[in-house]
Structures are given as structure tokens and as C-alpha cells.
Amino acid sequence: MSQVPERSEIDTEDKWDLASIYEDDEAWQAAYESVSDRVDDLRAYEGRAIESPETLLELLELREELLREVSKVSSYASLRSAEDTRNQEYQALQAKAESLSSSAQSAASFLEPELQELDESDVESFIDAEPELAEYEHYFDDVLRMKPHTRSAEVEELLAELGEVAGASSDIYGMLSNADMTFPTVERPDGEDVEITQGNFTKLQKHPDRAFRREVYEQFYDEWADVRNAVGTSLKNSVKKDVKYARARNYETAREAALDGPNVPVEVYDNLVETVRENLDSLHRHGELKREALGVDDLRMWDLYMSMTGDEGPEIPYEQATEYIVDALEPLGEEYQERVEEGLESRWVDVYENRGKRSGAFSAGTYDTQPFILMNYQDDIASMFTLAHELGHSLHSELAKDQQPWQYADYTIFVAEVASTVNETLLTQHLLETVDDDELRMHVLDEYLERFRSTLYRQTMFADFELQIHEVAEAEGALTPDRFDETYRDLKAEFYDPAELDDRIAREWMRIPHFYYNYYVYQYATGISAAVAIVERILEEGEDAAAAYREALALGGAEYPMDVLDTAGVDMTSPEPIESALSVYDDYLDQMADLL
């Protein structure tokens, strides 16, 4: 029987190195206590933030010092918790860290309302009097930009203190889906038993035996049906939280509030949904091509992840995947390649699935730590692409930290999803051009088409779902599991028109954690659109375009997202990058049709 191993059974070299943050839990506890004792030092500046340029600089430097340490404390606790969500000790650490983070944000919450008492000329005068404040010029501009949506110091402090509670729906969902839910064990066609998990569900949906895929699909979604009311209540309250926080900050909608944070025009969101909807025929063509390739009368939901080549695809061990990825990144420059290789050798990556481990994948870390990548590597092409994706995030962070001070090293998700998808696109180009194995090349092409489908089309569908359920809440409508089912099923039917839907697929919204992230998913779709445009430019223009792209990554948050992408040569206010990406999708569909 194929069982998921315990964490203790995983080799050390295949685990991330959290000792690089704190040597052990005792060191974490000491850091936690030290910074906890100093959080109130920030409150001593309340009412005094702008009494003089010197006082403001003191406050900004103290805030940086404390928040950098809080970030390390939070990162260590969060990563330990992700290793095994069943471990109550680390759940407690994470809870303490979240409380500390909330307290620190609350203690500093007076800063922005007090800064907003200034105007642009006041800021200029402060900088003239204290030149070191010039480093914060973009930060001041961003704070003043948000003046209409910032409340009094008292209200801001209350909102900051409520941050820990406001995340309860997401926390509950995460514990339910990762720690408490267990899925059935099913028998493979070869007679071996395998336990279904969040981590391996998609891989099992690529098994060539259609009856087996159907059994996995039905067993998986039937398990979700048993927690339908709990998950529905959790998502409802998460959406209501988004709406209420937006109204508290004088926004008309939660979407407007979410996009205004990074200063992304709402038109970008609408442009994405409209452009993708106008091009659903390409997605429908993909579905029909898959139906023909699989030789089935009707394309069913348990066929959607199946390779058009008709089998699971070649095995890609982790070591082979890292070699392919490093080679594929050559167009980004030798230094970029070397940083990736060094990271892979320095235990950035927690490679394999273990029992209780958080599902999915992510890249994390702080200004003062190395990156940390959570994987649930499955020795397949999909996992290889996911690793390339997360390494894009990690290198983005590294380049930004190299060039920017702390306050600008972080960047918005809108830009982040470009960096990750550029790596995926380069990996595809590299493998299609250099690998002699026709089977592998066909699977790579199929994998990229699938990732394109799931990134541009599927995430846009998710974005449409997210918009619709928030609009219900904003109109004081009732959000129930039935309403979620109906809305999601209608969208699924529209986007996947050639496929035959069943009742279970209406529950798919229940397994998507990103719906708790407040208008997050659209950025995957805009990200792949911008990434394709950037890669095309790099391959055509060479080092000049690559240098412009690296410069954009190194900007971090020193400029607004639209300006960062403009540095890389992309205008996301236009439908052109999306249409260009869809054109590439069509080209790859042509290639696959010819191969088949």
C-alpha cells in the first residue's frame, strides 16, 4: 500500500533549513519574548510622529527594527506549522506569532493617520530638513494616496487588533482541509492501495485508467460533501469580512478596496474577465481536442486533468527537475542561474509530502532570511513546473532584497505572479527545443497547455466566481452552500462547454483555499499574460530585455505595480498582453493537434 510518510521518515537534505532562522525552538522563544517586550516602544511615539523630521525618522527606524524581528518570529512559526498541521505545539507557536504580529501592527497603526495630516509640501519640507527621509519618499506618496480610505488613529488601531480574528475563517478552513479531513483509500488497477490526499488528487486524476479516475473523483468530492455546511459557513464569513472591512475604509466594494491597496485599476480586472470570456472558444477547442485524444464520447470531469497523450507521463525525479530548471533559466543571465542553483543546494526547498503537511506549494521568507519553498513533489512534470514557479518567487525576493531597503523589498502579488510564470514559460521553451525524447516533449507541451488552461482560464473563472459571491454579500443577499454551488456550476458549464458536468463538480469551490485571500486569484491570470509577453521579448531581444526584466524584479515595491511591469516592457491596462498570451495558447494547441 502506498502510504504518505511521516515527517521523521523524510531525509534531512530534502527538508528546508529552518535553523537558518532560529537554531531551535528555544531560540525562537527568546526572540519572541524580546520583541514582545519592545512592541510598546512604538506607542511612545503616538501623537508625536510628525512633531519633527528627526522624530519621524526615529519612529520609522524603530518600526523597521521591530517589524523585521516580528516577521522572522512569524515566519519560523508558520513554516513549522506547515510541516505538520497536526502538531499542536507548532499550532500554538503560530497562534502566538499571529497574536504578536497583530499587536505590533496595532502598536504602529497610528503612524499612517498621523502622516496623512501632512500634504505634499510638508513632506518635501521634512525631507529637506532630514535628508535620510528621502528614502521613504515613495512610501509617503503611497500613504497620502490612501488618505480618503484611512480612518482615525483609534479606528485604525481597532482594525489592526481585529486582524487576528478577521482571519479566523481562513484558519478554520485550513485546519479542516489540511489536518482534520481524511480521504478514502482506493485500489489502483494494479492492485496497490493508495490513500487520496489533497496533495495527490490531481496526480491521481491523470491516471490512464478512466474507471479509476472516476472512482478517485467521486470519493474525493463525496468526502467534501460531508463538510459542506462547515466550509460554506467559513467562506460566507470570509466574504462578509472582506465587505465589512472595505466599507470601514469608505470603499464602495470589496474588490475596489482589494485592488486599491496595490494601486491596480479595477479596469484591469474587468479587462481580464471580458477578454478571456471573448476567447472561450480556444478553451472549448482544448476540451474537444482532449476528448478526441482520449477517444471518449463525452468529456467528463474526471477527464479534465488527463494528459492528451493518454498516460500519466514520464517520471521526473527531483534531481532531474532541478537540472532542467537551472538550464532553462539561461536567458535570464548567468547570475540569476547561479542564485537558483545555490538556493537548491542550500535547502531552500522542503521537497516531499508527509502526513499532515500543508497541501500545495508556496515560497516564503523574510528580508533577513533565505527563501523557503514548500513543495509536495510527486516525481512528475507538474511538480517540476510548480518548483520552477516557486523558484521564480524566491529569486524575485532575493533580487529585491539585494537592491531595496526593507520598506521596499516586499512586492505585490500582482507583480509576483509574473516572476513565477516567466520561469514556467522559459522551462517550456527550453524543454521543447532541447529534449530529444519525443514522449517527454509531448508531455511538456501538454503540461504547458494544462497550466495555461488552469492559470489563465481557470483562475479567471475563479475571479468571476469571487466577484459574483462578493456582489451577493454587498447586496445583502444570502450566501449559502446552495448559492455557492449554483454560481460555481453555472460558471463551470460556461467555461467548459464541451464537457459534461455532474453534480459533484458544483462542490469544487470547497477545495480552493484562494477564495479566502480577498481578490487574489485574478493575479495568476494577469501574471501569465505579462509573463508570456516578457519571455517573447527576452527571446527576441536578448540581454537588453533580460536586464530590463531583472531591473523590474529588483524594484520590489519601490514603484507601483503597473510602473514595475512597464519597466519590463508590459502594459497591463491594455488587452494586448492577454490577447498575445491567448495567441500563444492557440499556437500550442495547433502543435498538439499536429502531433496527435
Side-chain angles (χ1 to χ4, degrees), residues 187-203:
E187 184 179 338
R188 291 181 186 270
D190 62 7
E192 182 183 14
D193 288 340
V194 59
E195 177 186 0
I196 303 171
T197 68
Q198 292 263 51
N200 70 12
F201 170 71
T202 300
K203 181 179 176 64

Side-chain angles (χ1 to χ4, degrees), residues 331-333 537-538 542-554 567-568:
L332 299 185
R537 185 175 177 221
I538 290 172
E543 174 54 24
D544 287 346
Y549 171 64
R550 294 195 303 270
E551 180 185 352
L553 297 184
T567 299

Side-chain angles (χ1 to χ4, degrees), residues 274-325:
E274 290 169 8
T275 305
V276 169
R277 279 183 170 277
E278 289 170 0
N279 289 274
L280 286 178
D281 55 332
S282 295
L283 178 62
H284 298 164
R285 179 189 172 204
H286 190 175
E288 184 60 24
L289 192 62
K290 179 169 291 193
R291 185 194 65 77
E292 294 175 0
L294 297 179
V296 295
D297 292 334
D298 298 304
L299 190 71
R300 304 300 298 263
M301 292 297 101
W302 47 87
D303 300 321
L304 289 184
Y305 292 98
M306 187 59 192
S307 167
M308 283 189 281
T309 63
D311 56 44
E312 292 182 275
E315 186 174 285
I316 308 290
Y318 179 74
E319 293 74 15
Q320 179 65 74
T322 59
E323 182 179 332
Y324 282 142
I325 291 168

Side-chain angles (χ1 to χ4, degrees), residues 473-529:
E474 286 157 352
E476 308 300 331
L479 286 175
T480 64
D482 284 347
R483 185 64 173 266
F484 290 136
D485 283 355
E486 178 184 355
T487 303
Y488 193 87
R489 194 182 196 284
D490 287 348
L491 281 168
K492 196 79 175 181
E494 181 180 1
F495 274 69
Y496 290 88
D497 184 52
E500 184 174 335
L501 274 63
D502 64 290
D503 291 339
R504 289 181 177 87
I505 199 60
R507 303 173 199 151
E508 189 176 34
W509 60 269
M510 296 175 63
R511 76 177 188 95
I512 310 300
H514 296 76
F515 291 147
Y516 294 83
Y517 297 178
N518 190 16
Y519 286 103
Y520 180 102
V521 294
Y522 84 97
Q523 296 163 116
Y524 287 116
T526 55
I528 193 172
S529 302

